[in-house]
Structures are given as structure tokens and as C-alpha cells.
Amino acid sequence: MSYPSGRHFLQIPGPTNVPDRVLRAMDAPTIDHRGPAFQTLALDILELLGPVFGTKGPVVIYPASGSGAWEAALVNTLSPGDTVLAFDTGHFAALWREMAGKLGLVVDFVPGDWRHGVDPGVVAEKLAADTAGAIKAVCVVHNETSTGVTSRVAEVREAIDSVGHPGLLLVDAISSLGCIDYRHDEWGVDVTVAGSQKGLMLPPGMSFNAVSEKALQASAGAGLPKSYWDWRPILKGNRNGFFPYTPPTNLLYGLKESLAMLYDEGLPQVFARHARHAAAARAAVRAWGLAVVCVEEREHSASVTAVLLSEEHDADKVRDLILDRFDMSLGAGLGKLAGRVFRIGHLGHFNDLTLLGALAGVQMGLQLAEVPIHPAGVEVALELLRA
Ligand SMILES: Cc1ncc(COP(=O)(O)O)c(C=O)c1O
């Protein structure tokens, strides 16, 4: 056999499974991106994007992975030597910090154990101590894809306001948008960074900055060098439905369809669906007698569950075995969790049986890898999902 029969189980926490409806929508001729049909498509999409971000403001679209939108958020709002306050909540927070350093920013990086989200109390403390006003932005990863831990963005905003600090709030919502309740405007987020390949159920290759009025004002004086990422020519072109570069036309066809699917289901229902599957996944993990990385009940991610193995078991070997035997991809442990953790993605185009299939594969894989577990995990998830 040169190929495994049946459908591959893509249970990494992004890229996620692309619905057939979205695949079909993208399967169309690429059109002139300076012509009237594209203009109509772009104007529609720019209008449709607001609700999923919870904003009435502009959303900038880049033909780039999420990292590009990270960079865009920084270079459009900050100047060389500015200080940003960031938190070591996981691998992606650490990568964003590294990028900020490379761009010439000073990062006040608050240590963390990768099992908790950002502590709003520490945000307030740090900003209250910043009497010189050195800190220009607070960077928060809403859903740490590497750990399955969320940070309470609304409380971070309250903490910033509680001490009257003028810093911008930049939030990475790459693996929360379209999965976990997110409110750019209501939470006073200044730049939301997102990507196509997670809750938006699209292939990778497109990313976003939702931009507040305050961020737009900051961009007028932001001195970090930028060209491709510069919001201004993009926002100017977007007013008429055009882009200053070649846009990812076929991904935009897909985006229109995936937004229609999300709005058709209803965002509150989408969030509830993710929360329900995450609760069933955690229940299975606990029934196996294993631990999840997140230790705070209110900080559990609804899009990914990171499962911690004891030191004598190699999580990568378990993943390899599961891929080999059951044709299922699980997320690897990243950074300092490499080999210690595997991650079950339960986000995007996903239902009860997808979760049960994934959990069945994990349970069999753990047993075959001789990780001692109680075989009750799948049964516990079945009971929860049947209820
Ligand atoms: C939370 C988070 N931030 C940033 C990134 C980086 O995005 P990309 O790999 O699309 O550049 C990822 C990727 O998985 C992520 O999960």
C-alpha cells in the first residue's frame, strides 16, 4: 500500500481540518485582484470580518503566516528602544518576545511556569511601577497553543486601566479566534493578531491585525522600520476593496465561506461547542490518570489540550506510534515541553465523533506505548458527550 486508506486524522492545534465547503469555495479560478469582481469580494470580506474579532474597526489582512501579523502589530505601533511588557506563558509568548528583541524593542519578560496564564495582578504592579512611562505596550498570548492555557484578556485590560497606564494592549488570538469568546472592542484590545489556519478553518497563509483607534493613532508616530507590514497603504487601498500587494485571492474565497459557516452556527454556539469538546478531552485525560499542563480551572483552553507524560515516557514516541498505527497527527511538545507533552487539537471543523475518534487513537497509542493508564478515558468522554 502506498497510502493509508480512510481519512487522515489531523488533530494538531492548527492547521486544522478544512471543511469541504471551504475547499469547494477555494476551488475557483483566481481572478484579477484589480478588477471589479475582486473589489466586491474584498469589500464583503472586510465587512464580514468584524464580528469574529468583536470589532467595528478595521482588520488588516496579510498574505502571511501568523508570525507576519505578530511583526506587523509591533512595527506599526512601536519605536526602536520602546519597552514592551510580555509574559513567559509558553513557547509562542517566548517566540513573540524574541521577535520583539530582534526588532530593537526592550522586553520586560515576566517569568512564568507555562502552566498559568498572565497574572493581571502582575500587569497592574509592573505598570504602576513604570512611573517613567517606558512601557509602551503589553503583549499577551490569549491562547497559548503550546500549553493549552488561556490568559484572561479582559482582566489584563482592567489591570492596565486600574493604574491609569497608557500602554497599548497587543493580543495574539491566533488559536483562540473563532474558538474561544473574543471581544477586541469590548476588552479594549489595541491590536489583535490572528491567523487563517486555526478557528477560521482555512489553510495556512493568511493573517490579520484588528486595529483600535488608539493603535492607529500610535502608528502615526511609530518609528520602527516597516514597508510590507505598514498598515497605512493597506487601509487606504481597502477603502475601495483593493490591496497594495497581490492578495491571497483563493484564501479569501475560503474565508468568505468559513465566516458564513461560523455565523450560520452562531459565534456563541461555536464557543460552546469548543468548550464542550475541551471539557470531554480533559475528562478523558484525567480518567487515564494523566495530567493536563494547565493547572487553573478557569484558564483551560477550549481549543487544545496539552497532556503531560511522566519523565520515563517520551511523548514524541507516543505520537510517532499513533501516526504510524492510526494515521493521526497530534501536536508535539514545543520548547521546554519537547518530548514531555503531546497536544490534542480540538478546534475548528470538529464534532463529537471527531473527538471520540481522536481520543480512541490516543488511548490505543498510550496503551501500545506501554504508558500506564486506566482504560476509562474514552468511556468517560462518551458519557459526557452522550449527555
Ligand atoms: C499562539 C500562536 N502564536 C503564533 C503562532 C505563529 O503562527 P505561524 O506559525 O502561523 O507563523 C502560532 C502558531 O501555531 C500560535 O499558535
Side-chain angles (χ1 to χ4, degrees):
M1 279 282 285
S2 58
Y3 71 93
S5 73
R7 201 144 190 164
H8 177 70
F9 257 63
L10 182 67
Q11 298 316 142
I12 59 174
T16 60
N17 294 288
V18 180
D20 289 353
R21 253 177 83 173
V22 173
L23 289 172
R24 296 294 88 81
M26 291 190 301
D27 180 11
T30 304
I31 54 173
D32 173 13
H33 60 286
R34 304 194 196 283
F38 182 87
Q39 184 180 32
T40 307
L41 172 76
L43 289 173
D44 279 355
I45 284 175
L46 290 167
E47 186 76 32
L48 284 167
L49 268 175
V52 76
F53 284 87
T55 186
K56 295 200 178 337
V59 180
V60 175
I61 304 174
Y62 294 106
S65 85
S67 304
W70 261 351
E71 181 159 343
L74 298 173
V75 297
N76 277 287
T77 54
L78 299 164
S79 297
D82 281 353
T83 300
V84 298
L85 178 62
F87 298 82
D88 191 13
T89 51
H91 182 67
F92 291 104
L95 287 181
W96 202 10
R97 173 249 188 136
E98 194 181 305
M99 175 187 277
K102 285 182 189 161
L103 290 170
L105 298 166
V106 176
V107 186
D108 183 349
F109 201 48
V110 178
D113 65 359
W114 288 27
R115 302 193 77 170
H116 294 83
V118 172
D119 181 343
V122 176
V123 175
E125 258 168 49
K126 283 277 182 185
L127 296 181
D130 179 39
T131 46
I135 297 173
K136 301 296 182 207
V138 179
C139 294
V140 173
V141 176
H142 183 210
N143 183 67
E144 241 308 340
T145 324
S146 61
T147 61
V149 179
T150 54
S151 285
R152 288 162 277 137
V153 176
E155 290 179 41
V156 171
R157 166 46 74 192
E158 278 165 28
I160 298 172
D161 293 348
S162 73
V163 294
H165 195 282
L168 296 167
L169 176 57
L170 313 184
V171 177
D172 171 338
I174 287 182
S175 58
S176 57
L177 195 92
C179 309
I180 302 172
D181 191 11
Y182 191 80
R183 306 174 190 201
H184 176 91
D185 288 355
E186 191 183 319
W187 294 348
V189 179
D190 292 299
V191 185
T192 297
V193 176
S196 55
Q197 75 272 27
K198 315 256 182 185
L200 292 177
M201 308 180 287
L202 295 165
M206 192 162 57
S207 55
F208 309 89
N209 275 179
V211 180
S212 75
E213 190 49 48
K214 191 170 154 195
L216 272 181
Q217 280 165 18
S219 73
L224 279 174
K226 59 194 150 293
S227 169
Y228 179 74
W229 303 116
D230 195 340
W231 290 336
R232 286 166 298 186
I234 305 170
L235 292 173
K236 190 164 169 236
N238 281 180
R239 270 186 236 130
N240 297 319
F242 296 114
F243 289 81
Y245 42 72
T246 311
T249 308
N250 292 58
L251 283 174
L252 293 171
Y253 295 152
L255 178 60
K256 193 170 173 192
E257 192 67 15
S258 72
L259 289 172
M261 290 174 74
L262 289 172
Y263 298 152
D264 190 22
E265 183 175 353
L267 290 175
Q269 287 75 15
V270 170
F271 303 145
R273 168 166 59 80
H274 281 82
R276 178 168 170 274
H277 288 142
R282 284 196 301 279
V285 173
R286 287 174 181 147
W288 287 325
L290 299 176
V292 296
V293 172
C294 179
V295 288
E296 272 268 355
E297 204 46 43
R298 61 186 167 166
E299 293 181 341
H300 283 302
S301 167
S303 41
V304 53
T305 298
V307 183
L308 195 58
L309 295 186
S310 59
E311 263 165 35
E312 62 269 27
H313 298 286
D314 181 343
D316 288 338
K317 286 214 174 106
V318 176
R319 282 189 319 105
D320 289 348
L321 190 153
I322 290 172
L323 178 62
D324 191 45
R325 279 293 301 271
F326 306 116
D327 197 25
M328 173 163 69
S329 297
L330 295 168
L334 297 174
K336 67 184 180 193
L337 296 178
R340 296 289 321 281
V341 153
F342 66 86
R343 295 171 299 144
I344 307 169
H346 32 73
L347 67 167
H349 187 52
F350 199 82
N351 63 23
D352 288 6
L353 294 188
T354 330
L355 179 66
L356 288 171
L359 294 176
V362 172
Q363 182 164 313
M364 290 189 288
L366 288 166
Q367 288 166 325
L368 287 167
E370 296 180 356
V371 176
I373 56 160
H374 306 294
V378 170
E379 188 57 41
V380 164
L382 272 172
E383 270 167 37
L384 278 178
L385 295 176
R386 198 162 44 212

